[in-house]
Amino acid sequence: MSIISLGFAYVFLGWSFFVLAVQVIGITNLYRYYARPAPTPASPALRDDEVPHITILRPVKGLETDLYECLASTLRQIYPRNKITIYMCVDSTNDPAYPTLRKLLADFPKADARVFVETEDPLLHGPDGHVNNLGPNPKVRNLSHAYREAKGDIVWVVDANIWVGPKVGGRMVDKLCGFVAGGGRAAAYKFVHQLPVVVDTVPPRQSARQDEAQGLLSGESEDALVFAQKESILSHVKKHGGGRLEEMFMATTHAKFYGAINAVGIAPCIVGKSNMWRKSHLLKLTDPNRNPHVNRCPDGLSGLDYFSRYICEDHMIGDLLFKSPIAGFKNHGLVQGDIAVQPVSSMSVKAYIARRVRWLRARKWTVLAATLVEPGVESLLCNFYFSFAATTIPWLSQALGIPQTWRAMGLTWLVGVTTWMVLDWFVFGKLHRGDSTEVDLDTPHFARGTGRVGGLQKRPLCEWLAAWLGRELLALPIWTWAVLLGTTVNWRGNRFKVRPDMSVVELDHAGAGKAPCDRGIMQQGRGVQRTTTPEVEGGLGARSKDRFD
């Protein structure tokens, strides 16, 4: 046995135990907090002058799945009516979602709600505005006007395709401000967020069953019907299988690591689905006169607008708040038990792959080390590491009773992958059962969970297994394509090149884009990495119906 092989074996062993520890923490956290509804929030019951005001911002683009129900969930929050404002933001009145927004205003006339239209933003349009006053980030441009008009200090940004429970707003405020039952106070946070879970609302064999019924009614032959059914199933998988892959990823690998990292709290780990913070904190931290570790924007942009030249504004906001000490406030707080539910439908496998590639390319420069080692946290490769170590290190092989042979290595790998799969089955079932979700008459079917009447059906084992294997087998090819073989992303209908400082260059439209902040977000010092930001080229072109994530 060579020293090199033995060295790799010890490295693989150490990595395997690290991943195992993260899995144990993540699974324990999920079973501990997502088994029952969280306690009733304390903040809505405070005296009127003590209840913080929330401004909820919903960035909208196109007709998302169950858009009405997702947006209505914030209009149905159980929170003092005079202390909550909902701003729904859309880029133009020609957007297909605009009629839905107007209907919501009509259906909830007592709500303090308003629709903001980007093309009516005076900062970007009109005699004193200019389209290049903000960078090309479409989500920031969409939210900018509403953010500037937000009432109070607390803002809660919830993507348009997210449904939240009626008491989530109160619990988010409790976590952010440190309110507890009985009038006590706990530690306050700079930033709070929710665990996101995706639910595919398309029945897996619906198309095939409809074709079969049509065939029987029309008197087709049995052979022709069987052929049509097989063809329809394959076609259905290609057209709709991406939703199952996405929900599998979010309810297994992502949920375990999201829960573990946030439980330990050693690094910022957020997804921009449902996030709450204070405007005053972000304004201070993006002002170089008040925060010496942030670089100045030549445009003088601050607050949310500061991030308009960059991709991954959600991570960058969370990262800035995490790394910038503010006396009396802890970093990030995950609101345990409450799930941000994202319904999807008709997501093709191709769309799933494109979405994962976009996500990886957008985030690889924000968390480069984590991105580079990501394949090693997946079941197939991680179990290869362990099986290699178990059949290469003499004392470990003897302790486990595993022969040092290729056959033993293969069997060890198979046992490890099977065990991993079984654990994922339980974790997936726990989250999709919706035990921690509070259900009332207004709760839509996709948010009720598989354990309640009116909810979605539990995934049959064979279908669940097919989705699990599909996701695991695609993980490494997707990572290779995204991280090693390109730097461009299709973002809101345009192609952008992502630069190492996380700024973006628009490739499809010519324009005189303005320079972002001189050297990125943070300077070197006090554990904060220094970045360099070249000039951003191009303006903001036409957008597609792609989502804001």
Side-chain angles (χ1 to χ4, degrees):
M1 181 187 307
S2 68
I3 296 178
I4 295 178
S5 296
L6 193 60
F8 273 111
Y10 274 104
V11 172
F12 289 167
L13 180 64
W15 178 259
S16 300
F17 277 114
F18 168 75
V19 174
L20 175 63
V22 172
Q23 296 255 15
V24 169
I25 295 172
I27 294 173
T28 302
N29 183 79
L30 293 174
Y31 268 80
R32 178 182 179 185
Y33 292 107
Y34 295 87
R36 62 191 62 84
T40 299
S43 52
L46 296 173
R47 294 201 319 265
D48 187 71
D49 60 341
E50 294 179 338
V51 179
H53 195 285
I54 312 173
T55 300
I56 304 177
L57 307 181
R58 306 295 305 256
V60 181
K61 178 64 178 179
L63 289 174
E64 303 277 3
T65 301
D66 291 295
L67 177 65
Y68 182 95
E69 289 298 333
C70 290
L71 295 176
S73 68
T74 44
L75 291 157
R76 293 175 175 141
Q77 289 296 300
I78 300 176
Y79 201 80
R81 191 177 301 277
N82 63 328
K83 295 291 185 176
I84 188 168
T85 300
I86 300 94
Y87 290 157
M88 296 173 286
C89 309
V90 68
D91 65 346
S92 77
T93 55
N94 294 324
D95 191 288
Y98 186 72
T100 301
L101 307 187
R102 302 303 305 177
K103 177 173 173 53
L104 283 161
L105 294 183
D107 290 348
F108 295 87
K110 295 182 179 180
D112 181 10
R114 176 182 170 186
V115 175
F116 280 81
V117 181
E118 183 184 319
T119 55
E120 300 172 2
D121 185 350
L123 180 66
L124 300 174
H125 305 278
D128 298 322
H130 194 281
V131 292
N132 285 331
N133 281 342
L134 293 175
N137 185 311
K139 187 173 180 179
V140 175
R141 293 175 70 93
N142 178 279
L143 292 173
S144 176
H145 191 190
Y147 187 86
R148 301 194 306 269
E149 298 284 337
K151 300 178 182 179
D153 195 26
I154 296 176
V155 293
W156 181 16
V157 179
V158 190
D159 281 356
N161 55 8
I162 292 298
W163 179 91
V164 293
K167 297 180 182 178
V168 170
R171 282 192 282 266
M172 295 278 280
V173 170
D174 285 359
K175 189 80 171 182
L176 187 75
C177 300
F179 296 124
V180 296
R185 297 298 293 265
Y189 286 83
K190 294 178 283 184
F191 183 97
V192 298
H193 54 120
Q194 290 180 264
L195 173 72
V197 170
V198 169
V199 176
D200 183 21
T201 62
V202 176
R205 295 176 182 266
Q206 185 182 54
S207 298
R209 288 170 180 168
Q210 288 177 349
D211 289 345
E212 181 179 4
Q214 286 295 105
L216 289 172
L217 290 173
S218 61
E220 292 182 4
S221 68
E222 183 177 352
D223 291 341
L225 181 59
V226 170
F227 177 79
Q229 183 175 351
K230 289 181 178 179
E231 185 179 37
S232 67
I233 292 174
L234 292 175
S235 176
H236 184 85
V237 169
K238 290 175 62 177
K239 292 180 181 178
H240 306 288
R244 291 303 171 92
L245 298 174
E246 180 73 4
E247 74 171 13
M248 183 62 65
F249 169 69
M250 296 300 289
T252 55
T253 298
H254 185 270
K256 290 182 294 185
F257 280 84
Y258 200 82
I261 295 172
N262 280 290
V264 177
I266 60 174
C269 181
I270 63 165
V271 175
K273 299 293 185 184
S274 174
N275 302 328
M276 181 181 286
W277 67 83
R278 296 172 182 81
K279 288 182 63 178
S280 58
H281 284 177
L282 202 60
L283 181 63
K284 173 183 177 181
L285 296 178
T286 54
D287 182 356
N289 296 321
R290 303 169 69 187
N291 180 13
H293 304 292
V294 73
N295 288 293
R296 183 182 300 276
C297 272
D299 301 329
L301 298 176
S302 61
L304 179 66
D305 292 345
Y306 187 94
F307 303 91
S308 64
R309 309 290 179 183
Y310 303 93
I311 201 167
C312 288
E313 78 294 326
D314 52 354
H315 173 84
M316 296 184 77
I317 290 170
D319 188 65
L320 179 63
L321 290 169
F322 188 93
K323 293 178 177 178
S324 303
I326 298 179
F329 293 92
K330 299 178 72 173
N331 288 326
H332 288 188
L334 180 63
V335 181
Q336 305 281 11
D338 286 315
I339 296 174
V341 182
Q342 177 186 347
V344 300
S345 66
S346 302
M347 178 186 286
S348 68
V349 174
K350 182 179 179 180
Y352 164 77
I353 294 173
R355 173 180 165 82
R356 291 291 299 137
V357 168
R358 182 171 65 246
W359 193 354
L360 284 165
R361 286 183 179 174
R363 295 177 181 272
K364 71 178 179 181
W365 296 120
T366 64
V367 282
L368 181 59
T371 302
L372 292 177
V373 301
E374 183 172 316
V377 306
E378 303 288 358
S379 64
L380 304 184
L381 191 55
C382 187
N383 279 287
F384 167 78
Y385 291 161
F386 177 76
S387 61
F388 179 83
T391 54
T392 301
I393 301 173
W395 64 264
L396 182 60
S397 176
Q398 293 175 7
L400 297 176
I402 301 175
Q404 292 180 294
T405 64
W406 290 108
R407 177 182 173 84
M409 179 178 169
L411 290 174
T412 303
W413 175 85
L414 183 60
V415 170
V417 170
T418 303
T419 303
W420 191 302
M421 180 190 66
V422 171
L423 290 175
D424 278 354
W425 166 259
F426 285 108
V427 170
F428 182 96
K430 167 60 69 175
L431 291 176
H432 277 253
R433 208 161 40 242
D435 294 335
S436 64
T437 301
E438 295 164 307
V439 173
D440 58 25
L441 294 177
D442 294 318
T443 305
H445 70 288
F446 62 82
R448 289 179 172 269
T450 60
R452 295 188 178 93
V453 175
L456 297 178
Q457 292 183 350
K458 182 179 179 181
R459 305 302 184 214
L461 178 58
C462 60
E463 294 170 3
W464 183 93
L465 180 59
W468 188 89
L469 288 173
R471 199 214 71 83
E472 298 296 322
L473 291 171
L474 285 172
L476 184 57
I478 288 174
W479 180 90
T480 303
W481 177 257
V483 177
L484 303 181
L485 301 177
T487 58
T488 62
V489 296
N490 191 321
W491 193 25
R492 312 299 295 137
N494 296 332
R495 289 189 310 119
F496 293 87
K497 180 178 180 180
V498 183
R499 291 182 166 178
D501 62 348
M502 294 165 289
S503 66
V504 290
V505 178
E506 191 172 8
L507 300 177
D508 292 335
H509 296 269
K514 301 183 72 175
C517 307
D518 294 335
R519 290 175 306 210
I521 295 296
M522 303 294 286
Q523 296 178 351
Q524 188 176 9
R526 297 190 182 181
V528 179
Q529 187 176 8
R530 181 178 181 176
T531 58
T532 302
T533 305
E535 185 177 5
V536 171
E537 305 165 1
L540 184 70
R543 301 170 188 166
S544 76
K545 63 181 181 180
D546 294 344
R547 299 178 176 89
F548 274 124
D549 40 12

